[in-house]
Amino acid sequence: KIDDREWRPSRINLNGGEPLISFCSLDYSYYAKEPWRTPMDVQLRIYSQCKQPGRSMTYSLSDVRRYMKSHPSEFIEPSGLIHHETR
């Protein structure tokens, strides 16, 4: 969390060089009230206005790794993998 907002990865740019990861502050209060209106992640990102200034932040992969190493208590180690495939 940053500024008491939860930021989730929303886009990864692999266009040459080091990968860039964009994070979006999703509007979970809207989702919690009426989850059927934004059943897919992409719909919640659109509703949350991730492309608007102040609603997203972008960091290099090395910056994200450095932050994770310096703040290990904020992260959990994965214990498995979920693979989801749409039709």
Side-chain angles (χ1 to χ4, degrees), residues 8-42:
R8 251 181 70 190
S10 62
R11 185 177 310 271
I12 298 175
N13 183 348
L14 301 174
N15 195 10
E18 183 174 15
L20 298 175
I21 304 171
S22 295
F23 294 83
C24 178
S25 178
L26 298 178
D27 189 346
Y28 284 111
S29 62
Y30 176 78
Y31 177 78
K33 290 177 193 169
E34 301 179 274
W36 60 90
R37 292 192 183 268
T38 53
M40 304 297 284
D41 190 68
V42 67

PDB file of all heavy atoms in Angstrom, residues 8-42:
ATOM      1  N   ARG A   8      -2.064  -2.340  -7.642  1.00  0.00           N
ATOM      2  CA  ARG A   8      -1.922  -3.665  -8.242  1.00  0.00           C
ATOM      3  C   ARG A   8      -1.257  -3.575  -9.588  1.00  0.00           C
ATOM      4  O   ARG A   8      -1.511  -2.634 -10.347  1.00  0.00           O
ATOM      5  CB  ARG A   8      -3.320  -4.259  -8.452  1.00  0.00           C
ATOM      6  CG  ARG A   8      -3.594  -5.379  -7.498  1.00  0.00           C
ATOM      7  CD  ARG A   8      -4.928  -5.977  -7.716  1.00  0.00           C
ATOM      8  NE  ARG A   8      -4.999  -6.735  -8.957  1.00  0.00           N
ATOM      9  CZ  ARG A   8      -6.121  -7.193  -9.437  1.00  0.00           C
ATOM     10  NH1 ARG A   8      -7.247  -6.999  -8.818  1.00  0.00           N
ATOM     11  NH2 ARG A   8      -6.138  -7.879 -10.547  1.00  0.00           N
ATOM     12  N   PRO A   9      -0.405  -4.559  -9.932  1.00  0.00           N
ATOM     13  CA  PRO A   9       0.169  -4.543 -11.286  1.00  0.00           C
ATOM     14  C   PRO A   9      -0.945  -4.591 -12.324  1.00  0.00           C
ATOM     15  O   PRO A   9      -1.885  -5.371 -12.205  1.00  0.00           O
ATOM     16  CB  PRO A   9       1.004  -5.823 -11.341  1.00  0.00           C
ATOM     17  CG  PRO A   9       1.223  -6.217  -9.928  1.00  0.00           C
ATOM     18  CD  PRO A   9       0.046  -5.707  -9.161  1.00  0.00           C
ATOM     19  N   SER A  10      -0.857  -3.707 -13.299  1.00  0.00           N
ATOM     20  CA  SER A  10      -1.907  -3.665 -14.317  1.00  0.00           C
ATOM     21  C   SER A  10      -1.364  -3.816 -15.734  1.00  0.00           C
ATOM     22  O   SER A  10      -2.114  -4.116 -16.642  1.00  0.00           O
ATOM     23  CB  SER A  10      -2.707  -2.363 -14.211  1.00  0.00           C
ATOM     24  OG  SER A  10      -1.867  -1.249 -14.439  1.00  0.00           O
ATOM     25  N   ARG A  11      -0.062  -3.571 -15.910  1.00  0.00           N
ATOM     26  CA  ARG A  11       0.500  -3.665 -17.259  1.00  0.00           C
ATOM     27  C   ARG A  11       1.998  -3.907 -17.159  1.00  0.00           C
ATOM     28  O   ARG A  11       2.664  -3.354 -16.292  1.00  0.00           O
ATOM     29  CB  ARG A  11       0.229  -2.369 -18.010  1.00  0.00           C
ATOM     30  CG  ARG A  11       0.647  -2.358 -19.433  1.00  0.00           C
ATOM     31  CD  ARG A  11       0.267  -1.050 -20.107  1.00  0.00           C
ATOM     32  NE  ARG A  11      -1.113  -0.668 -19.901  1.00  0.00           N
ATOM     33  CZ  ARG A  11      -2.135  -1.031 -20.675  1.00  0.00           C
ATOM     34  NH1 ARG A  11      -1.917  -1.791 -21.711  1.00  0.00           N
ATOM     35  NH2 ARG A  11      -3.356  -0.633 -20.424  1.00  0.00           N
ATOM     36  N   ILE A  12       2.520  -4.724 -18.047  1.00  0.00           N
ATOM     37  CA  ILE A  12       3.959  -4.964 -18.132  1.00  0.00           C
ATOM     38  C   ILE A  12       4.397  -4.597 -19.541  1.00  0.00           C
ATOM     39  O   ILE A  12       3.836  -5.098 -20.514  1.00  0.00           O
ATOM     40  CB  ILE A  12       4.321  -6.427 -17.807  1.00  0.00           C
ATOM     41  CG1 ILE A  12       3.913  -6.761 -16.379  1.00  0.00           C
ATOM     42  CG2 ILE A  12       5.818  -6.654 -18.014  1.00  0.00           C
ATOM     43  CD1 ILE A  12       4.109  -8.210 -16.005  1.00  0.00           C
ATOM     44  N   ASN A  13       5.384  -3.734 -19.643  1.00  0.00           N
ATOM     45  CA  ASN A  13       5.893  -3.307 -20.942  1.00  0.00           C
ATOM     46  C   ASN A  13       7.220  -4.023 -21.193  1.00  0.00           C
ATOM     47  O   ASN A  13       8.186  -3.793 -20.475  1.00  0.00           O
ATOM     48  CB  ASN A  13       6.079  -1.792 -20.958  1.00  0.00           C
ATOM     49  CG  ASN A  13       6.546  -1.292 -22.312  1.00  0.00           C
ATOM     50  OD1 ASN A  13       6.946  -2.061 -23.181  1.00  0.00           O
ATOM     51  ND2 ASN A  13       6.480   0.014 -22.497  1.00  0.00           N
ATOM     52  N   LEU A  14       7.227  -4.879 -22.203  1.00  0.00           N
ATOM     53  CA  LEU A  14       8.423  -5.642 -22.564  1.00  0.00           C
ATOM     54  C   LEU A  14       9.013  -5.128 -23.871  1.00  0.00           C
ATOM     55  O   LEU A  14       9.665  -5.858 -24.594  1.00  0.00           O
ATOM     56  CB  LEU A  14       8.080  -7.125 -22.701  1.00  0.00           C
ATOM     57  CG  LEU A  14       7.507  -7.798 -21.461  1.00  0.00           C
ATOM     58  CD1 LEU A  14       7.067  -9.209 -21.769  1.00  0.00           C
ATOM     59  CD2 LEU A  14       8.526  -7.775 -20.341  1.00  0.00           C
ATOM     60  N   ASN A  15       8.797  -3.873 -24.164  1.00  0.00           N
ATOM     61  CA  ASN A  15       9.208  -3.289 -25.434  1.00  0.00           C
ATOM     62  C   ASN A  15      10.687  -2.918 -25.421  1.00  0.00           C
ATOM     63  O   ASN A  15      11.053  -1.745 -25.404  1.00  0.00           O
ATOM     64  CB  ASN A  15       8.340  -2.061 -25.729  1.00  0.00           C
ATOM     65  CG  ASN A  15       8.442  -1.623 -27.163  1.00  0.00           C
ATOM     66  OD1 ASN A  15       9.001  -2.326 -27.994  1.00  0.00           O
ATOM     67  ND2 ASN A  15       7.901  -0.458 -27.464  1.00  0.00           N
ATOM     68  N   GLY A  16      11.552  -3.929 -25.397  1.00  0.00           N
ATOM     69  CA  GLY A  16      12.989  -3.689 -25.394  1.00  0.00           C
ATOM     70  C   GLY A  16      13.472  -3.214 -24.035  1.00  0.00           C
ATOM     71  O   GLY A  16      12.710  -2.748 -23.203  1.00  0.00           O
ATOM     72  N   GLY A  17      14.755  -3.370 -23.781  1.00  0.00           N
ATOM     73  CA  GLY A  17      15.322  -2.907 -22.521  1.00  0.00           C
ATOM     74  C   GLY A  17      14.749  -3.636 -21.316  1.00  0.00           C
ATOM     75  O   GLY A  17      14.246  -4.752 -21.413  1.00  0.00           O
ATOM     76  N   GLU A  18      14.825  -2.982 -20.180  1.00  0.00           N
ATOM     77  CA  GLU A  18      14.329  -3.580 -18.942  1.00  0.00           C
ATOM     78  C   GLU A  18      12.801  -3.514 -18.873  1.00  0.00           C
ATOM     79  O   GLU A  18      12.213  -2.495 -19.243  1.00  0.00           O
ATOM     80  CB  GLU A  18      14.920  -2.844 -17.740  1.00  0.00           C
ATOM     81  CG  GLU A  18      14.507  -3.462 -16.426  1.00  0.00           C
ATOM     82  CD  GLU A  18      15.197  -2.828 -15.236  1.00  0.00           C
ATOM     83  OE1 GLU A  18      15.768  -1.749 -15.371  1.00  0.00           O
ATOM     84  OE2 GLU A  18      15.149  -3.440 -14.178  1.00  0.00           O
ATOM     85  N   PRO A  19      12.146  -4.569 -18.400  1.00  0.00           N
ATOM     86  CA  PRO A  19      10.687  -4.540 -18.276  1.00  0.00           C
ATOM     87  C   PRO A  19      10.227  -3.423 -17.340  1.00  0.00           C
ATOM     88  O   PRO A  19      10.853  -3.160 -16.313  1.00  0.00           O
ATOM     89  CB  PRO A  19      10.341  -5.908 -17.684  1.00  0.00           C
ATOM     90  CG  PRO A  19      11.501  -6.775 -18.019  1.00  0.00           C
ATOM     91  CD  PRO A  19      12.697  -5.867 -18.021  1.00  0.00           C
ATOM     92  N   LEU A  20       9.137  -2.773 -17.714  1.00  0.00           N
ATOM     93  CA  LEU A  20       8.506  -1.747 -16.886  1.00  0.00           C
ATOM     94  C   LEU A  20       7.160  -2.275 -16.413  1.00  0.00           C
ATOM     95  O   LEU A  20       6.394  -2.836 -17.197  1.00  0.00           O
ATOM     96  CB  LEU A  20       8.310  -0.452 -17.673  1.00  0.00           C
ATOM     97  CG  LEU A  20       9.571   0.222 -18.184  1.00  0.00           C
ATOM     98  CD1 LEU A  20       9.221   1.438 -19.045  1.00  0.00           C
ATOM     99  CD2 LEU A  20      10.458   0.636 -17.015  1.00  0.00           C
ATOM    100  N   ILE A  21       6.871  -2.090 -15.132  1.00  0.00           N
ATOM    101  CA  ILE A  21       5.628  -2.581 -14.545  1.00  0.00           C
ATOM    102  C   ILE A  21       4.796  -1.387 -14.102  1.00  0.00           C
ATOM    103  O   ILE A  21       5.260  -0.556 -13.319  1.00  0.00           O
ATOM    104  CB  ILE A  21       5.903  -3.510 -13.356  1.00  0.00           C
ATOM    105  CG1 ILE A  21       6.813  -4.657 -13.790  1.00  0.00           C
ATOM    106  CG2 ILE A  21       4.595  -4.036 -12.770  1.00  0.00           C
ATOM    107  CD1 ILE A  21       7.322  -5.502 -12.648  1.00  0.00           C
ATOM    108  N   SER A  22       3.580  -1.301 -14.624  1.00  0.00           N
ATOM    109  CA  SER A  22       2.659  -0.234 -14.225  1.00  0.00           C
ATOM    110  C   SER A  22       1.698  -0.772 -13.177  1.00  0.00           C
ATOM    111  O   SER A  22       1.172  -1.875 -13.310  1.00  0.00           O
ATOM    112  CB  SER A  22       1.871   0.279 -15.429  1.00  0.00           C
ATOM    113  OG  SER A  22       2.728   0.885 -16.353  1.00  0.00           O
ATOM    114  N   PHE A  23       1.493   0.027 -12.149  1.00  0.00           N
ATOM    115  CA  PHE A  23       0.580  -0.318 -11.065  1.00  0.00           C
ATOM    116  C   PHE A  23      -0.589   0.660 -11.097  1.00  0.00           C
ATOM    117  O   PHE A  23      -0.411   1.840 -11.386  1.00  0.00           O
ATOM    118  CB  PHE A  23       1.288  -0.214  -9.713  1.00  0.00           C
ATOM    119  CG  PHE A  23       2.387  -1.209  -9.529  1.00  0.00           C
ATOM    120  CD1 PHE A  23       3.645  -0.981 -10.034  1.00  0.00           C
ATOM    121  CD2 PHE A  23       2.148  -2.396  -8.851  1.00  0.00           C
ATOM    122  CE1 PHE A  23       4.665  -1.895  -9.875  1.00  0.00           C
ATOM    123  CE2 PHE A  23       3.153  -3.326  -8.684  1.00  0.00           C
ATOM    124  CZ  PHE A  23       4.420  -3.075  -9.202  1.00  0.00           C
ATOM    125  N   CYS A  24      -1.774   0.159 -10.783  1.00  0.00           N
ATOM    126  CA  CYS A  24      -2.977   0.986 -10.770  1.00  0.00           C
ATOM    127  C   CYS A  24      -3.647   0.900  -9.401  1.00  0.00           C
ATOM    128  O   CYS A  24      -3.676  -0.162  -8.790  1.00  0.00           O
ATOM    129  CB  CYS A  24      -3.948   0.515 -11.845  1.00  0.00           C
ATOM    130  SG  CYS A  24      -5.500   1.444 -11.857  1.00  0.00           S
ATOM    131  N   SER A  25      -4.173   2.018  -8.956  1.00  0.00           N
ATOM    132  CA  SER A  25      -4.942   2.042  -7.716  1.00  0.00           C
ATOM    133  C   SER A  25      -6.391   1.712  -8.074  1.00  0.00           C
ATOM    134  O   SER A  25      -7.136   2.559  -8.565  1.00  0.00           O
ATOM    135  CB  SER A  25      -4.850   3.426  -7.067  1.00  0.00           C
ATOM    136  OG  SER A  25      -5.629   3.468  -5.905  1.00  0.00           O
ATOM    137  N   LEU A  26      -6.763   0.451  -7.865  1.00  0.00           N
ATOM    138  CA  LEU A  26      -8.097  -0.012  -8.252  1.00  0.00           C
ATOM    139  C   LEU A  26      -9.142   0.402  -7.228  1.00  0.00           C
ATOM    140  O   LEU A  26      -8.873   0.471  -6.031  1.00  0.00           O
ATOM    141  CB  LEU A  26      -8.097  -1.527  -8.409  1.00  0.00           C
ATOM    142  CG  LEU A  26      -7.179  -2.072  -9.494  1.00  0.00           C
ATOM    143  CD1 LEU A  26      -7.222  -3.582  -9.518  1.00  0.00           C
ATOM    144  CD2 LEU A  26      -7.546  -1.516 -10.846  1.00  0.00           C
ATOM    145  N   ASP A  27     -10.348   0.672  -7.718  1.00  0.00           N
ATOM    146  CA  ASP A  27     -11.456   1.098  -6.863  1.00  0.00           C
ATOM    147  C   ASP A  27     -12.193  -0.127  -6.335  1.00  0.00           C
ATOM    148  O   ASP A  27     -13.225  -0.533  -6.860  1.00  0.00           O
ATOM    149  CB  ASP A  27     -12.398   1.997  -7.649  1.00  0.00           C
ATOM    150  CG  ASP A  27     -13.447   2.661  -6.784  1.00  0.00           C
ATOM    151  OD1 ASP A  27     -13.620   2.229  -5.616  1.00  0.00           O
ATOM    152  OD2 ASP A  27     -14.088   3.599  -7.261  1.00  0.00           O
ATOM    153  N   TYR A  28     -11.645  -0.703  -5.269  1.00  0.00           N
ATOM    154  CA  TYR A  28     -12.251  -1.905  -4.703  1.00  0.00           C
ATOM    155  C   TYR A  28     -13.559  -1.617  -3.982  1.00  0.00           C
ATOM    156  O   TYR A  28     -14.392  -2.507  -3.834  1.00  0.00           O
ATOM    157  CB  TYR A  28     -11.281  -2.599  -3.748  1.00  0.00           C
ATOM    158  CG  TYR A  28     -10.197  -3.349  -4.471  1.00  0.00           C
ATOM    159  CD1 TYR A  28      -8.886  -2.923  -4.418  1.00  0.00           C
ATOM    160  CD2 TYR A  28     -10.489  -4.479  -5.222  1.00  0.00           C
ATOM    161  CE1 TYR A  28      -7.886  -3.603  -5.083  1.00  0.00           C
ATOM    162  CE2 TYR A  28      -9.502  -5.161  -5.894  1.00  0.00           C
ATOM    163  CZ  TYR A  28      -8.201  -4.714  -5.810  1.00  0.00           C
ATOM    164  OH  TYR A  28      -7.217  -5.392  -6.484  1.00  0.00           O
ATOM    165  N   SER A  29     -13.779  -0.386  -3.536  1.00  0.00           N
ATOM    166  CA  SER A  29     -15.042  -0.073  -2.861  1.00  0.00           C
ATOM    167  C   SER A  29     -16.202  -0.217  -3.845  1.00  0.00           C
ATOM    168  O   SER A  29     -17.262  -0.726  -3.497  1.00  0.00           O
ATOM    169  CB  SER A  29     -15.007   1.327  -2.259  1.00  0.00           C
ATOM    170  OG  SER A  29     -14.839   2.304  -3.271  1.00  0.00           O
ATOM    171  N   TYR A  30     -16.000   0.212  -5.087  1.00  0.00           N
ATOM    172  CA  TYR A  30     -17.029   0.041  -6.113  1.00  0.00           C
ATOM    173  C   TYR A  30     -17.257  -1.439  -6.397  1.00  0.00           C
ATOM    174  O   TYR A  30     -18.393  -1.907  -6.464  1.00  0.00           O
ATOM    175  CB  TYR A  30     -16.617   0.763  -7.396  1.00  0.00           C
ATOM    176  CG  TYR A  30     -17.581   0.560  -8.543  1.00  0.00           C
ATOM    177  CD1 TYR A  30     -18.766   1.264  -8.600  1.00  0.00           C
ATOM    178  CD2 TYR A  30     -17.295  -0.342  -9.553  1.00  0.00           C
ATOM    179  CE1 TYR A  30     -19.656   1.074  -9.643  1.00  0.00           C
ATOM    180  CE2 TYR A  30     -18.173  -0.539 -10.607  1.00  0.00           C
ATOM    181  CZ  TYR A  30     -19.351   0.162 -10.642  1.00  0.00           C
ATOM    182  OH  TYR A  30     -20.230  -0.038 -11.673  1.00  0.00           O
ATOM    183  N   TYR A  31     -16.170  -2.173  -6.544  1.00  0.00           N
ATOM    184  CA  TYR A  31     -16.276  -3.609  -6.809  1.00  0.00           C
ATOM    185  C   TYR A  31     -16.988  -4.325  -5.666  1.00  0.00           C
ATOM    186  O   TYR A  31     -17.837  -5.186  -5.903  1.00  0.00           O
ATOM    187  CB  TYR A  31     -14.883  -4.203  -7.021  1.00  0.00           C
ATOM    188  CG  TYR A  31     -14.910  -5.693  -7.237  1.00  0.00           C
ATOM    189  CD1 TYR A  31     -15.278  -6.222  -8.471  1.00  0.00           C
ATOM    190  CD2 TYR A  31     -14.603  -6.568  -6.211  1.00  0.00           C
ATOM    191  CE1 TYR A  31     -15.328  -7.588  -8.679  1.00  0.00           C
ATOM    192  CE2 TYR A  31     -14.648  -7.940  -6.405  1.00  0.00           C
ATOM    193  CZ  TYR A  31     -15.014  -8.440  -7.633  1.00  0.00           C
ATOM    194  OH  TYR A  31     -15.071  -9.797  -7.830  1.00  0.00           O
ATOM    195  N   ALA A  32     -16.690  -3.968  -4.425  1.00  0.00           N
ATOM    196  CA  ALA A  32     -17.300  -4.633  -3.268  1.00  0.00           C
ATOM    197  C   ALA A  32     -18.812  -4.396  -3.221  1.00  0.00           C
ATOM    198  O   ALA A  32     -19.565  -5.285  -2.824  1.00  0.00           O
ATOM    199  CB  ALA A  32     -16.656  -4.132  -1.988  1.00  0.00           C
ATOM    200  N   LYS A  33     -19.262  -3.221  -3.650  1.00  0.00           N
ATOM    201  CA  LYS A  33     -20.692  -2.904  -3.620  1.00  0.00           C
ATOM    202  C   LYS A  33     -21.466  -3.646  -4.705  1.00  0.00           C
ATOM    203  O   LYS A  33     -22.566  -4.133  -4.476  1.00  0.00           O
ATOM    204  CB  LYS A  33     -20.905  -1.398  -3.801  1.00  0.00           C
ATOM    205  CG  LYS A  33     -20.465  -0.574  -2.624  1.00  0.00           C
ATOM    206  CD  LYS A  33     -20.644   0.896  -2.926  1.00  0.00           C
ATOM    207  CE  LYS A  33     -19.918   1.737  -1.901  1.00  0.00           C
ATOM    208  NZ  LYS A  33     -19.857   3.144  -2.303  1.00  0.00           N
ATOM    209  N   GLU A  34     -20.901  -3.688  -5.911  1.00  0.00           N
ATOM    210  CA  GLU A  34     -21.589  -4.294  -7.055  1.00  0.00           C
ATOM    211  C   GLU A  34     -20.601  -5.076  -7.925  1.00  0.00           C
ATOM    212  O   GLU A  34     -20.259  -4.650  -9.029  1.00  0.00           O
ATOM    213  CB  GLU A  34     -22.271  -3.209  -7.882  1.00  0.00           C
ATOM    214  CG  GLU A  34     -23.294  -2.398  -7.094  1.00  0.00           C
ATOM    215  CD  GLU A  34     -23.937  -1.314  -7.920  1.00  0.00           C
ATOM    216  OE1 GLU A  34     -23.359  -0.220  -7.986  1.00  0.00           O
ATOM    217  OE2 GLU A  34     -24.992  -1.592  -8.517  1.00  0.00           O
ATOM    218  N   PRO A  35     -20.133  -6.234  -7.450  1.00  0.00           N
ATOM    219  CA  PRO A  35     -19.097  -6.969  -8.187  1.00  0.00           C
ATOM    220  C   PRO A  35     -19.529  -7.434  -9.573  1.00  0.00           C
ATOM    221  O   PRO A  35     -18.678  -7.626 -10.439  1.00  0.00           O
ATOM    222  CB  PRO A  35     -18.783  -8.150  -7.269  1.00  0.00           C
ATOM    223  CG  PRO A  35     -19.930  -8.268  -6.346  1.00  0.00           C
ATOM    224  CD  PRO A  35     -20.526  -6.902  -6.223  1.00  0.00           C
ATOM    225  N   TRP A  36     -20.780  -7.602  -9.808  1.00  0.00           N
ATOM    226  CA  TRP A  36     -21.244  -8.069 -11.111  1.00  0.00           C
ATOM    227  C   TRP A  36     -21.059  -7.008 -12.197  1.00  0.00           C
ATOM    228  O   TRP A  36     -21.062  -7.332 -13.380  1.00  0.00           O
ATOM    229  CB  TRP A  36     -22.720  -8.489 -11.045  1.00  0.00           C
ATOM    230  CG  TRP A  36     -23.630  -7.378 -10.625  1.00  0.00           C
ATOM    231  CD1 TRP A  36     -24.257  -6.467 -11.427  1.00  0.00           C
ATOM    232  CD2 TRP A  36     -24.003  -7.057  -9.293  1.00  0.00           C
ATOM    233  NE1 TRP A  36     -24.984  -5.591 -10.682  1.00  0.00           N
ATOM    234  CE2 TRP A  36     -24.852  -5.936  -9.350  1.00  0.00           C
ATOM    235  CE3 TRP A  36     -23.714  -7.591  -8.052  1.00  0.00           C
ATOM    236  CZ2 TRP A  36     -25.402  -5.345  -8.223  1.00  0.00           C
ATOM    237  CZ3 TRP A  36     -24.273  -7.011  -6.927  1.00  0.00           C
ATOM    238  CH2 TRP A  36     -25.098  -5.908  -7.016  1.00  0.00           C
ATOM    239  N   ARG A  37     -20.870  -5.743 -11.834  1.00  0.00           N
ATOM    240  CA  ARG A  37     -20.677  -4.689 -12.827  1.00  0.00           C
ATOM    241  C   ARG A  37     -19.260  -4.706 -13.428  1.00  0.00           C
ATOM    242  O   ARG A  37     -19.061  -4.214 -14.531  1.00  0.00           O
ATOM    243  CB  ARG A  37     -20.962  -3.323 -12.230  1.00  0.00           C
ATOM    244  CG  ARG A  37     -22.417  -3.130 -11.890  1.00  0.00           C
ATOM    245  CD  ARG A  37     -22.685  -1.665 -11.583  1.00  0.00           C
ATOM    246  NE  ARG A  37     -24.049  -1.467 -11.177  1.00  0.00           N
ATOM    247  CZ  ARG A  37     -25.054  -1.163 -12.013  1.00  0.00           C
ATOM    248  NH1 ARG A  37     -24.810  -1.036 -13.293  1.00  0.00           N
ATOM    249  NH2 ARG A  37     -26.270  -0.997 -11.547  1.00  0.00           N
ATOM    250  N   THR A  38     -18.303  -5.242 -12.682  1.00  0.00           N
ATOM    251  CA  THR A  38     -16.919  -5.311 -13.177  1.00  0.00           C
ATOM    252  C   THR A  38     -16.358  -6.707 -12.894  1.00  0.00           C
ATOM    253  O   THR A  38     -15.422  -6.864 -12.115  1.00  0.00           O
ATOM    254  CB  THR A  38     -16.039  -4.239 -12.504  1.00  0.00           C
ATOM    255  OG1 THR A  38     -16.165  -4.370 -11.083  1.00  0.00           O
ATOM    256  CG2 THR A  38     -16.428  -2.840 -12.916  1.00  0.00           C
ATOM    257  N   PRO A  39     -16.933  -7.746 -13.542  1.00  0.00           N
ATOM    258  CA  PRO A  39     -16.500  -9.112 -13.227  1.00  0.00           C
ATOM    259  C   PRO A  39     -15.087  -9.442 -13.709  1.00  0.00           C
ATOM    260  O   PRO A  39     -14.434 -10.294 -13.140  1.00  0.00           O
ATOM    261  CB  PRO A  39     -17.528  -9.983 -13.940  1.00  0.00           C
ATOM    262  CG  PRO A  39     -18.016  -9.144 -15.068  1.00  0.00           C
ATOM    263  CD  PRO A  39     -17.980  -7.730 -14.552  1.00  0.00           C
ATOM    264  N   MET A  40     -14.610  -8.761 -14.726  1.00  0.00           N
ATOM    265  CA  MET A  40     -13.276  -9.031 -15.259  1.00  0.00           C
ATOM    266  C   MET A  40     -12.331  -7.912 -14.820  1.00  0.00           C
ATOM    267  O   MET A  40     -12.721  -6.753 -14.705  1.00  0.00           O
ATOM    268  CB  MET A  40     -13.308  -9.119 -16.787  1.00  0.00           C
ATOM    269  CG  MET A  40     -14.281 -10.153 -17.337  1.00  0.00           C
ATOM    270  SD  MET A  40     -13.877 -11.831 -16.854  1.00  0.00           S
ATOM    271  CE  MET A  40     -12.518 -12.159 -17.929  1.00  0.00           C
ATOM    272  N   ASP A  41     -11.075  -8.275 -14.615  1.00  0.00           N
ATOM    273  CA  ASP A  41     -10.075  -7.319 -14.158  1.00  0.00           C
ATOM    274  C   ASP A  41      -9.975  -6.106 -15.079  1.00  0.00           C
ATOM    275  O   ASP A  41      -9.855  -4.974 -14.619  1.00  0.00           O
ATOM    276  CB  ASP A  41      -8.721  -8.028 -14.048  1.00  0.00           C
ATOM    277  CG  ASP A  41      -7.694  -7.172 -13.357  1.00  0.00           C
ATOM    278  OD1 ASP A  41      -7.849  -6.937 -12.146  1.00  0.00           O
ATOM    279  OD2 ASP A  41      -6.736  -6.743 -14.023  1.00  0.00           O
ATOM    280  N   VAL A  42     -10.039  -6.324 -16.374  1.00  0.00           N
ATOM    281  CA  VAL A  42      -9.917  -5.220 -17.318  1.00  0.00           C
ATOM    282  C   VAL A  42     -11.053  -4.214 -17.125  1.00  0.00           C
ATOM    283  O   VAL A  42     -10.841  -2.998 -17.242  1.00  0.00           O
ATOM    284  CB  VAL A  42      -9.856  -5.724 -18.776  1.00  0.00           C
ATOM    285  CG1 VAL A  42     -11.170  -6.360 -19.201  1.00  0.00           C
ATOM    286  CG2 VAL A  42      -9.466  -4.603 -19.714  1.00  0.00           C
TER     287      VAL A  42
END
